[in-house]
Amino acid sequence: MGDDPGRLYRLDGVAHIAGVINDENQVQKFAVNCTWFEETFGECPEGADEETVRRFARAYIMMLLDTQLFADKSGNRIHIRWLPYVARLEEMGGYSWGSAALAWLYRCMCWVANRHVVKLAGPLQLLQSWIFWRFPSFRPTGYEAFSWPLASRWSGYNPGISNKGPRVQMARLKIDLLQPRDFIWMPYSAVDVIQVVHPEVLEPQHTMLWRCVTSLIYFAVVEWHQVDRVLPQFGGVQPPPRPALNIDFLMLKDGRGGDRWFPSHLPDWHLHWQERAEHILQFDIVADLGHSHDFLAWWHQHGKRFLSPEMLLGDPRGIPIPEEAT
């Protein structure tokens, strides 16, 4: 694929994940089987020279990107679009991997909301970690020790697939019965968590991105970072939200059809990312996190209060027991 620096997209000195929209029939053509990858690069030879080690490192990173952070539902192919990004290992820390992974997760969650879609792709380990950190009642037992990265706390958790239906019903019921104390808005602000967080994560150029209302870009996938709707996770009080941005037309873009360079084809959305520093939320930090009364009134009017059928929410003790029952 060559080593043309122009193929990597940069904004404000930070390389961003962009690329070329491939034709629909090129997905198979530009993919390598995972089995071949594992057989070829499964174990680095002992005493290997530096160039061999770097080659195996590139292969491992490509596996990590395509099967973990940006996994699709195939689960057995590695796309060669990652080659330009692993070509210069020293620059990999300058790519906005977090925003791209979040964009891909948002898009996968949008797709799975379709009634005809049965499987969820994306960085599901990160989604599961987010749930466990914030919902104590959903956490598995025996995972109290943690280190950096924080998602590794749940690395040994592997639930079975049996009784999937009852588990889904119980999860919905748990969500319906949640109380304010059952959700932790800022789990990563605890002292014992801060002690294991890598110091670079807390540098201003990174923490700034947490509070930016901007576009998240992953190749043809563009999502909107609507952190203005979750201010309590940054220490603020949530007011009534502004109307959601309608980006339905972007959902139709999946990287197929034509050969177009993203920054030229979607310039406005890339400009949003480029100017992200101008759209950092400003709000007061408070001790009592939560929502304003105006927000609660808005939510009561527009929100869906329960996920479970009404019959599962009733108290069965209110049903009289027949005398003939043993």
Side-chain angles (χ1 to χ4, degrees):
M1 300 209 26
D3 192 23
D4 179 11
R7 300 295 287 173
L8 293 180
Y9 181 46
R10 295 179 177 276
L11 289 174
D12 297 342
V14 179
H16 197 82
I17 299 179
V20 176
I21 301 178
N22 295 327
D23 185 76
E24 180 176 0
N25 297 323
Q26 290 178 332
V27 176
Q28 294 281 355
K29 181 179 177 181
F30 289 142
V32 180
N33 189 276
C34 283
T35 302
W36 178 87
F37 242 78
E38 294 173 357
E39 293 175 351
T40 307
F41 301 103
E43 184 175 352
C44 187
E46 186 176 354
D49 56 26
E50 181 179 354
E51 183 55 38
T52 300
V53 173
R54 292 172 70 88
R55 185 164 63 251
F56 274 77
R58 291 187 181 99
Y60 174 79
I61 293 173
M62 287 182 65
M63 285 277 292
L64 179 65
L65 292 174
D66 222 34
T67 63
Q68 301 298 321
L69 288 181
F70 304 103
D72 57 22
K73 290 188 287 188
S74 69
N76 60 359
R77 294 193 300 270
I78 307 297
H79 203 290
I80 66 172
R81 63 186 170 196
W82 301 114
L83 283 176
Y85 300 96
V86 300
R88 293 172 291 278
L89 294 176
E90 294 78 8
E91 298 185 6
M92 292 207 69
Y95 304 149
S96 186
W97 299 108
S99 64
L102 192 57
W104 179 235
L105 176 61
Y106 286 168
R107 180 58 54 87
C108 291
M109 293 178 70
C110 287
W111 283 338
V112 82
N114 189 314
R115 61 182 300 179
H116 302 295
V117 178
V118 296
K119 292 184 178 179
L120 175 61
L124 302 185
Q125 299 95 329
L126 300 182
L127 176 61
Q128 176 179 274
S129 176
W130 184 92
I131 294 171
F132 288 167
W133 275 102
R134 285 169 167 77
F135 292 89
S137 60
F138 284 83
R139 296 175 183 172
T141 58
Y143 294 89
E144 299 307 318
F146 53 89
S147 59
W148 177 260
L150 297 180
S152 64
R153 176 178 180 179
W154 324 101
S155 59
Y157 178 64
N158 186 24
I161 60 175
S162 60
N163 299 322
K164 179 180 178 181
R167 286 213 317 269
V168 171
Q169 293 180 4
M170 288 302 300
R172 289 173 176 170
L173 188 58
K174 281 186 177 181
I175 294 175
D176 290 335
L177 300 179
L178 281 175
Q179 300 296 316
R181 63 180 180 275
D182 298 327
F183 184 83
I184 302 177
W185 280 106
M186 303 177 67
Y188 310 136
S189 63
V191 175
D192 51 353
V193 176
I194 293 295
Q195 291 176 348
V196 301
V197 171
H198 197 287
E200 291 185 5
V201 176
L202 303 178
E203 292 181 359
Q205 65 265 33
H206 300 306
T207 59
M208 174 195 73
L209 187 57
W210 304 348
R211 295 178 287 111
C212 286
V213 180
T214 186
S215 55
L216 303 175
I217 304 172
Y218 166 64
F219 293 107
V221 173
V222 178
E223 293 287 343
W224 195 242
H225 198 219
Q226 297 186 110
V227 291
D228 54 324
R229 291 176 164 243
V230 285
L231 291 189
Q233 73 174 5
F234 304 110
V237 174
Q238 181 64 53
R242 299 177 181 176
L245 187 66
N246 188 339
I247 57 174
D248 289 349
F249 72 99
L250 289 172
M251 300 296 167
L252 303 177
K253 301 183 182 300
D254 57 1
R256 302 176 181 180
D259 186 10
R260 293 163 287 183
W261 181 236
F262 292 160
S264 300
H265 181 59
L266 304 171
D268 293 339
W269 302 100
H270 284 264
L271 185 62
H272 275 298
W273 169 263
Q274 185 177 2
E275 298 177 346
R276 61 192 180 278
E278 301 177 11
H279 301 282
I280 302 175
L281 293 177
Q282 303 293 334
F283 51 88
D284 295 329
I285 304 299
V286 299
D288 186 15
L289 302 179
H291 305 85
S292 66
H293 292 293
D294 291 338
F295 174 87
L296 293 176
W298 173 89
W299 178 83
H300 184 77
Q301 181 180 0
H302 299 280
K304 180 178 176 60
R305 297 188 61 188
F306 301 111
L307 299 175
S308 303
E310 186 175 354
M311 59 177 293
L312 297 180
L313 296 173
D315 187 347
R317 292 172 297 182
I319 302 175
I321 300 177
E323 294 182 358
E324 63 270 23
T326 58

